[in-house]
Amino acid sequence: MLPPAHDQPLVILANFASDIAIDLQQSAILRQWSLQAPREIWLARPGDVLVTPVPLSPAFIRYACSLLDMPIDAISILTVPDVAGEAMADTVRSTHALTSLRDLVSQRTGCCLMPTALDSATVALAADLDIPISPYDLGTRGASPDAVAVTALLNTKAGFRTAAQDLGMRLPAGRLCDGSRLPAVARELIGAYQEIVVKPDRSAGGHGLRFISGRDLPLAAESAAGQWVVEEFLADCRSVSAQFHTGEDEPRMLFSGEMSTRDGAFTGYRSPLPDVPERTVKELERWGLDLGDHLAARGYRGPYSIDAMVTRHGRLYATEANVRRTATTTPHAMITRLLPSSPTPAWLMGTRRADRAHTFLEAVDLLAAAGLAYDPGTGAGVLLYADAPADGISWRYAITAPDPDRIPQLDRRFALLFAP
């Protein structure tokens, strides 16, 4: 993630379709994730190009540009629909979109490519465009092969567990196995811990995660190729996360918060991290900085995060790393851009279901009539940061306020407005 301002024009590549986070054959999940691509407009500044797998509605473009105090024609938007089984950057290269993108790049001196995820397809696209990758380049054209390799490795559960153990992080007890060994490993760990969590080695957002107890046995052997991580289930814990950035300078923590989940899947976030002992926050920060040094030593420059579990007594267990921009990085960038004078803004993001379908304009009007719409004058209110959902019902939103205690109040009022 870049700082709130950037000097060079960017090609913002919303490549949710990337093998960094999940197997490209999981096309249904990737299409679902790609629906979030409109949120990347909050990263754009005049002169930038947004390459998105889904179109942005004119109403959403006007809404975002108005809040960002930016003319609606200040950025160029190129829509490149995902192709099943293909990384988005490869789709750009294999279609007429590459010619269109080259033309846009040629009109912008000093242009850089900023992807959601750093993968080999994105490196190839940057080479075709003859532009550097921001912020992943370290003074040369193209991210180094070592940086691409460590990105791919640490976006796996097994790769993270190995690195975390080497760096002295506390982990849930667990094992790595292939699909044929999964039933036996699951039986063994259930015998020791009663409940376990089974995770695909490469997944994001909780996709494919399963909670299993003795009553769920026996398990069928998984027919899919690949590896699995089986871990002790940590009961009565909170899910937390911290986002970092590493590069030429020392790594730094950007923000931390608590994740909300449903059946292990990510559903929302609240920052700063509330009601957690200071020693726990410091330990999470130390783990993240150590991981940043580990990444930087292998040529990686850019955003990454650590997810963890916190027990009722403040004991911390690391669970995974996300070496890419995540679901929280763009909302955080949006909030810090709208509130530049606040060094650590308080904010919340989530998904809210309406009782009936709304267009984007209808939803905005509802918020305004209820006095809930984000007000630049007060720095408080609800933001619809990802355009209208396909069903008109499942809205992604963020809330911020100078007084953190107001945020839950605004959230409750928003819930009643959309589903009275």
Side-chain angles (χ1 to χ4, degrees):
M1 183 179 68
L2 289 181
H6 50 263
D7 297 327
Q8 75 278 27
L10 294 177
V11 174
I12 301 168
L13 181 69
N15 61 329
F16 290 82
S18 169
D19 59 4
I20 287 299
I22 197 171
D23 190 286
L24 290 172
Q25 299 309 310
Q26 301 284 338
S27 55
I29 297 297
L30 290 170
R31 280 195 300 271
Q32 187 66 31
W33 289 352
S34 290
L35 294 176
Q36 304 175 54
R39 73 188 189 201
E40 302 303 280
I41 195 173
W42 300 102
L43 302 174
R45 294 180 182 271
D48 289 349
V49 178
L50 172 58
V51 185
T52 168
V54 296
L56 280 64
S57 72
F60 177 66
I61 294 172
R62 288 193 297 271
Y63 171 82
C65 289
S66 174
L67 287 172
L68 294 173
D69 194 23
M70 185 169 67
I72 60 172
D73 59 353
I75 63 172
S76 297
I77 300 175
L78 180 62
T79 303
V80 184
D82 286 335
V83 174
E86 194 168 270
M88 184 186 182
D90 281 337
T91 302
V92 173
R93 297 175 65 219
S94 63
T95 65
H96 70 278
L98 181 59
T99 299
S100 300
L101 190 53
R102 277 189 175 133
D103 289 343
L104 290 167
V105 167
S106 69
Q107 300 164 22
R108 292 159 169 80
T109 303
C111 207
C112 295
L113 181 66
M114 188 176 77
T116 296
L118 178 66
D119 54 22
S120 56
T122 299
V123 173
L125 175 60
D128 282 346
L129 296 170
D130 193 27
I131 59 176
I133 306 172
S134 177
Y136 303 100
D137 282 305
L138 288 171
T140 59
R141 285 295 172 96
S144 72
D146 286 347
V148 176
V150 77
T151 300
L153 178 62
L154 286 185
N155 278 295
T156 66
K157 306 295 187 290
F160 172 70
R161 283 184 67 89
T162 298
Q165 287 171 334
D166 291 343
L167 294 171
M169 298 181 201
R170 189 180 305 106
L171 298 169
R175 294 262 302 278
L176 173 69
C177 66
D178 61 26
S180 65
R181 288 282 301 153
L182 181 57
V185 172
R187 281 195 303 272
E188 180 182 335
L189 268 69
I190 284 176
Y193 304 108
Q194 287 72 58
E195 290 188 81
I196 60 173
V197 186
V198 175
K199 306 174 181 179
D201 189 31
R202 188 179 295 281
S203 70
H207 172 66
L209 183 149
R210 298 156 63 189
F211 298 94
I212 296 173
S213 64
R215 63 179 177 272
D216 300 308
L217 294 178
L219 291 181
E222 295 293 329
S223 58
Q227 301 291 306
W228 296 79
V229 168
V230 185
E231 291 179 345
E232 170 192 8
F233 172 66
L234 300 173
D236 299 321
C237 287
R238 298 165 62 184
S239 298
V240 301
S241 178
Q243 188 81 32
F244 301 82
H245 192 282
T246 191
E248 294 173 330
D249 300 324
E250 292 184 350
R252 65 188 188 278
M253 187 169 80
L254 302 178
F255 61 92
S256 64
E258 181 173 6
M259 296 183 286
S260 56
T261 60
R262 185 179 299 114
D263 297 326
F266 176 87
T267 59
Y269 195 79
R270 183 179 176 186
S271 179
L273 187 56
D275 305 321
V276 171
E278 181 66 21
R279 60 179 172 81
T280 304
V281 178
K282 289 295 185 183
E283 185 171 44
L284 180 61
E285 180 177 12
R286 178 172 57 81
W287 288 355
L289 297 179
D290 288 347
L291 182 62
D293 289 336
H294 178 85
L295 289 165
R298 288 151 182 81
Y300 179 84
R301 175 181 181 178
Y304 66 99
S305 67
I306 286 185
D307 294 347
M309 304 294 289
V310 180
T311 70
R312 287 177 296 175
H313 304 294
R315 192 169 177 81
L316 192 68
Y317 291 86
T319 54
E320 66 177 45
N322 301 289
V323 187
R324 58 184 186 276
R325 284 166 44 220
T326 68
T328 63
T329 49
T330 296
H332 175 262
M334 173 187 70
I335 296 296
T336 55
R337 185 169 172 184
L338 295 174
L339 300 170
S341 62
S342 178
T344 55
W347 56 284
L348 171 153
M349 60 170 285
T351 302
R352 179 75 64 208
R353 288 184 62 82
D355 62 339
R356 62 181 180 86
H358 301 288
T359 66
F360 191 82
L361 281 177
E362 287 172 345
V364 170
D365 288 344
L366 273 174
L367 290 174
L372 290 173
Y374 174 77
D375 180 355
T378 64
V382 180
L383 292 143
L384 303 176
Y385 70 87
D387 211 338
D391 62 6
I393 292 175
S394 308
W395 292 83
R396 296 180 184 275
Y397 71 100
I399 299 177
T400 187
D403 178 2
D405 291 337
R406 281 197 64 200
I407 292 178
Q409 299 169 10
L410 292 169
D411 197 25
R412 287 191 292 271
R413 289 178 58 196
F414 181 43
L416 290 173
L417 176 69
F418 262 35

